[in-house]
Amino acid sequence: MTKKLFFKNVYLKEFTANIISKEEIEGEFHIVLDQTAFYPEGGGQPCDTGTIDSLKVCYVYEKDNKIYHIVDKKPTKLNNVKCTIDWEKRFDHMQQHLGQHILSACFEELFDAETVGFHLGTAFVTIDVTLSDLSNDQAQKVEYLANQVVFNNLRVNQLYPNPSKLSELPLRKPPKVDKNIRIIEIDQFDFSPCGGTHPSYTGEVGLIKIRKWEKIRNNIRIEFVCGNRALKDFTWKNDYIYKIANLLSIKDLDVLNGIEKIYSNYHSQQKEIKKLKEQLLNYEAFALYQEADIHKEIKIIYKIYDNRDFNELRTLATKIISKPNAIVLFGARNKKAQMILSSSKQIEINMNEIFKKVCIIFNGKGGGNNHNAQGGGDNLSKLEDALKEAKNIIINQYI
Ligand SMILES: [Zn+2]
C-alpha cells in the first residue's frame, strides 16, 4: 500500500521516496514508490505530473491500493529519489476542485439541485445539476453565494468518521466507498465524501465564475472557472471589450449598445443593397432589350460576361424574357463556362434542344425546357463558339 502524502500535507511539493517496483509496459515504466505526494487520477480530478529524479512523470494512477507513476525512461537510482510535483498544475486542480464543492453546495442550498456530473478539464470545469432550467438571475444568485463562501475564508477539514459519527453528518451525497470514508467539510456549510485534493481554506479558491450553461438531457450543465483560470478568463475578456470600445470610440459599458446599433444598421443596409441591386438589374434588362439586334421582329440579346455571378445572370435573363419577343443567349466565363438560353413565352422554339446541340462544344452539361435551358462545362475557350452556334441555329432554323 502506497503511503499517500497528499492527504497528510496537501501543500507538499517536493519529497524523497524509495522506488519499490518498476515494471516495463510497452516501452514505459510504471513505478511504485513507498510514499508519494503525486495524486493519482480519480474522483473527477486529473492526476499530478512532475519528476522522479530526472525522469518525467506523465501519468499517475491507483490500482489495488498502490499508486503507479508512469515515466518514459528506466530509473537507475532506486533509493532516496527526489520527487517534485508540478505545483502550478496541482494548485490549479485544487482551486477548481474545491470551487466545485462550493458551487455544488450552493446549488443544493438555493435550489435543492443535486450535482450528478463533474468534469475538471484542462480549460474549463463543468458540473451537471438536476435542474430543468436555469435563469440568468438564478445563476447570478448561486455565483454570488459561492463567492461569499470564498470571501469568508472558511476552514476546509478532512474527516474520517466512524460509522455512527458518519450517520450523524448532513452529507450532500452518499459515499461511493464503504471503508476509510473521507469527508471534506467546509466549516459546517458542506459535508461531502471525496478523495481529492483541496486547499485548507476557501479563500484560496479565488473567484468562482460561471461562464455559461446549457441543457444536457434532463439536467443543466454549468461551465465555470476558479482562481487563476477566472483571472485568465477575465483578462482576455477585458482586453476584447477594451479593444472593441476603442474601435467604436465608445465607453466599455456602452459596447453592447454600440454593437447592437451596428448590427441593426447592417441589416437595414443589406435590405437597401438588395433593393438597389434589383433596380439596377431592371435598368440593365431594359437597356439590353432596347439595344438588342432584331431578326424578323425577334430581339436577340447575345452577350458573354467574365466573372459574373450566374444567379444574377439568371435573374437578368428572366427579367428580359418577361418582355415580348425576346431571346436571351448569355455566356459566363467564371470558374467554369456557363450558358443560359431563354426565350419569351410567345416564341415557338425549343431551347432545351438547342442547348443539347451546342453544349458538347464547350464540354457542358445541363438542360431545361422549351423556353429555358442552362448548364456549365469545363472548356472556357470554346464557350463563345458554342454560344455563336446557338445563335446560328436560332436564326437559320427557328426565325
Ligand atoms: Zn473533492
Side-chain angles (χ1 to χ4, degrees):
M1 192 168 167
T2 315
K3 198 171 159 194
K4 294 172 176 173
L5 300 174
F6 47 82
F7 280 163
K8 268 199 155 172
N9 177 7
V10 79
Y11 297 96
L12 191 65
K13 306 168 184 74
E14 285 180 1
F15 62 101
T16 51
N18 301 313
I19 295 177
I20 53 175
S21 83
K22 53 180 195 310
E23 194 185 345
E24 187 177 352
I25 302 170
E26 291 170 357
E28 290 175 324
F29 293 86
H30 295 226
I31 290 177
V32 178
L33 303 168
D34 56 350
Q35 56 175 6
T36 189
F38 280 94
Y39 179 78
E41 186 179 77
Q45 185 178 329
C47 70
D48 287 332
T49 52
T51 53
I52 295 177
D53 258 349
S54 58
L55 306 173
K56 256 192 161 174
V57 177
C58 59
Y59 186 69
V60 185
Y61 66 95
E62 186 171 7
K63 198 179 146 192
D64 302 330
N65 291 319
K66 282 183 189 163
I67 294 177
Y68 293 83
H69 310 71
I70 301 184
V71 296
D72 52 351
K73 287 186 196 124
K74 190 178 181 177
T76 46
K77 191 182 160 193
L78 297 182
N79 291 324
N80 284 322
V81 286
K82 193 185 165 200
C83 306
T84 308
I85 286 171
D86 181 350
W87 180 248
E88 207 178 307
K89 192 173 179 179
R90 156 69 87 74
F91 187 65
D92 169 63
H93 291 163
M94 283 160 59
Q95 282 189 317
Q96 310 313 316
H97 194 152
L98 188 60
Q100 178 263 311
H101 280 239
I102 296 170
L103 201 57
S104 289
C106 292
F107 268 108
E108 176 139 321
E109 170 88 15
L110 289 180
F111 310 119
D112 219 11
E114 218 181 297
T115 295
V116 290
F118 163 46
H119 177 69
L120 204 174
T122 49
F124 309 115
V125 193
T126 60
I127 51 171
D128 294 346
V129 293
T130 53
L131 284 177
S132 55
D133 207 1
L134 181 71
S135 69
N136 219 17
D137 189 46
Q138 284 176 314
Q140 282 178 9
K141 270 189 183 140
V142 84
E143 193 178 74
Y144 181 80
L145 179 62
N147 282 290
Q148 302 321 301
V149 173
V150 171
F151 302 152
N152 281 317
N153 204 21
L154 304 180
R155 169 87 198 161
V156 178
N157 302 308
Q158 45 176 326
L159 317 171
Y160 294 92
N162 60 37
S164 71
K165 180 80 186 148
L166 183 70
S167 63
E168 288 168 14
L169 294 177
L171 298 188
R172 182 157 48 80
K173 55 180 182 179
K176 282 181 182 161
V177 291
D178 49 15
K179 274 192 293 187
N180 302 321
I181 295 167
R182 179 173 181 256
I183 306 296
I184 296 301
E185 180 206 353
I186 300 171
D187 199 11
Q188 300 292 312
F189 174 66
D190 185 47
F191 293 83
S192 180
C194 185
T197 57
H198 317 80
S200 300
Y201 289 91
T202 56
E204 292 172 64
V205 171
L207 187 72
I208 298 175
K209 182 72 196 137
I210 293 177
R211 295 184 84 250
K212 58 181 182 188
W213 59 91
E214 59 178 330
K215 205 171 163 67
I216 300 276
R217 287 176 289 276
N218 296 321
N219 303 315
I220 298 288
R221 179 161 293 172
I222 317 284
E223 183 180 297
F224 65 99
V225 278
C226 306
N228 280 319
R229 292 193 191 194
L231 178 63
K232 259 191 203 165
D233 202 55
F234 191 21
T235 303
W236 76 259
K237 281 176 181 162
N238 200 49
D239 189 42
Y240 275 32
I241 295 287
Y242 176 78
K243 282 176 181 160
I244 295 169
N246 262 356
L247 211 64
L248 306 183
S249 302
I250 52 178
K251 287 180 192 157
D252 54 0
L253 271 174
D254 297 331
V255 156
L256 184 62
N257 274 341
I259 296 281
E260 275 171 352
K261 232 184 230 169
I262 288 176
Y263 203 65
S264 135
N265 281 347
Y266 169 78
H267 274 292
S268 46
Q269 280 166 3
Q270 287 297 102
K271 262 192 193 165
E272 188 65 21
I273 288 170
K274 206 177 161 191
K275 206 174 98 191
L276 292 175
K277 267 190 174 173
E278 185 75 20
Q279 280 178 3
L280 211 57
L281 279 179
N282 285 339
Y283 280 118
E284 195 178 357
F286 179 75
L288 286 169
Y289 186 72
Q290 290 298 104
E291 294 157 10
D293 291 343
I294 302 175
H295 291 265
K296 294 181 188 160
E297 291 176 0
I298 303 283
K299 286 177 175 258
I300 298 183
I301 296 99
Y302 172 96
K303 207 161 169 109
I304 295 183
Y305 297 87
D306 284 313
N307 300 317
R308 182 151 186 189
D309 182 65
F310 196 58
N311 282 331
E312 195 178 276
L313 270 189
R314 264 207 290 249
T315 311
L316 184 61
T318 308
K319 284 182 187 297
I320 296 171
I321 60 158
S322 68
K323 303 175 201 303
N325 294 331
I327 285 179
V328 172
L329 310 175
F330 278 164
R333 282 185 287 248
N334 291 321
K335 271 184 186 160
K336 55 181 185 175
Q338 290 166 305
M339 184 185 273
I340 303 172
L341 308 180
S342 300
S343 79
S344 308
K345 287 245 152 56
Q346 308 85 343
I347 302 172
E348 275 193 26
I349 199 162
N350 189 337
M351 285 305 197
N352 185 45
E353 199 179 271
I354 301 164
F355 182 83
K356 295 281 182 204
K357 276 183 190 161
V358 303
C359 73
I360 43 169
I361 302 171
F362 70 106
N363 212 8
K365 275 183 194 157
N369 53 41
N370 283 358
H371 296 287
N372 228 317
Q374 59 195 35
D378 55 17
N379 196 339
L380 284 158
S381 62
K382 290 284 184 190
L383 179 67
E384 197 171 350
D385 292 348
L387 203 62
K388 268 184 190 157
E389 181 59 18
K391 190 178 177 184
N392 286 336
I393 294 172
I394 288 165
I395 290 172
N396 297 329
Q397 295 177 22
Y398 287 95
I399 306 178

